[in-house]
Structure formats: structure tokens, C-alpha cells
Amino acid sequence: MTDPRYNYGPDNPQNPQHPGQPQYPHGQGEPQYPHSQGEPAPKVNVGKLWAGGIGTAVVAALLVVVAIMLIRGVLGIAILSPEGAGAYGTVSTTSYAVAAAGAALMATALLMVLLLAMPSPLTFFTWICLLLTAVAVILPFTLVADLDAKIATAAINLIIGLCITTMLSSVGSAAQNTSPRAGY
């Protein structure tokens, strides 16, 4: 049933055959809508992926600063600097934070490659990140330092690795362009 308040006939300005509407030859001058001509949608929303990667990098860097201030200031463990350097420490704290942000951005690049090329990208990404986190946790124990500083550094590396892994797994899931399944 139609609404009598609207003109649905040939005099309707919205009618494609109305004289007031521009007439285009087929395929020329028509508005171009993305993926309307049967082109497949891109598999990954790259903007959303990198926005999430940058956000993860900021969180990882801030997490390093907070963890070092907690360990140095509250627990009194000298990590990355001598004891008299204060709660923040020295420029090594800033370097550690920048390295954590860099690791998050490198993990974002890895995630993008996996999303574009792998059949089960988030599974591979999670395994790769967890194994790299295990390396980062073990690494302080191979260096010469006090045991409490080794444990504190390993704990920071574990927290940062888990933060990057979980956040980017979530970002990767949200950045995938998947079509809804029929029947759902």
C-alpha cells in the first residue's frame, strides 16, 4: 500500500525518468559507490588497525613508566639506574618506554601482514607474540644484575608483552572486514 501524501508517478522529482533528473549514459557520471560493482571489500580496515596500534604503543610506553616508578619508588628496587636516581630513574626509563612503543608498532606491522596473508591470522599472531614475550621474560636472567632487579625487569617485560598481545589481538579482530553469515 502506498502513502497518498507522496507522488509516486512520473511527475515525482525522485523518479529517474523525470525530466528534472540528469540522464547519464550507462556507467558514466553515475555516483561511484565503493564495492558496489561486485568488487570484494578489502580484508582489513588498515586505518582502524593502525589507530589501534598507535593506541597500544602509547599504553605500552605509559605502562613502562608506571611500572618503573612503582618498582623504584614504592618497592625500592634499583632497576635501570643506580639507587640515588629517584623514582623515575634516568634516561634509560625513557628509552625503555620508547622501546615498548616501538615493539607495539612492530607488532602492529606483523599483525597487518598476518591479517592480509594468513588463514588464521590471530592465532599465529598470539603465538608469535607470546613466544617473543617469553624471550623478553627470560632475557633479564641472562644478564649480570641483582636477583630482585632481574625479577622486576622480567615482570615488566611480561606485563608489557601481555598488554601488547591482548590489545592488538582485539584490534586485529575489530579491523577485519568480515561479511555477516547467512542465517545469523
Side-chain angles (χ1 to χ4, degrees), residues 17-109:
Q17 302 304 321
H18 188 270
Q21 288 289 328
Q23 301 298 315
Y24 300 109
H26 183 66
Q28 294 179 350
E30 295 176 353
Q32 296 296 318
Y33 299 105
H35 317 297
S36 64
Q37 309 301 327
E39 300 171 20
K43 195 173 171 185
V44 178
N45 184 337
V46 177
K48 189 182 284 189
L49 177 69
W50 280 100
I54 291 169
T56 302
V58 170
V59 169
L62 291 174
L63 185 59
V64 166
V65 172
V66 168
I68 288 179
M69 290 181 77
L70 174 73
I71 290 170
R72 289 183 62 79
V74 176
L75 300 178
I77 299 172
I79 135 180
L80 300 179
S81 307
E83 285 185 31
Y88 183 79
T90 62
V91 73
S92 59
T93 300
T94 305
S95 300
Y96 199 178
V98 169
L105 293 176
M106 288 175 46
T108 304

Side-chain angles (χ1 to χ4, degrees), residues 106-131:
M106 288 175 46
T108 304
L110 170 68
L111 179 58
M112 186 172 96
V113 169
L114 292 175
L115 285 171
L116 293 172
M118 297 299 283
S120 191
L122 295 178
T123 302
F124 284 100
F125 176 76
T126 302
W127 271 99
I128 291 168
C129 284
L130 289 177
L131 290 171

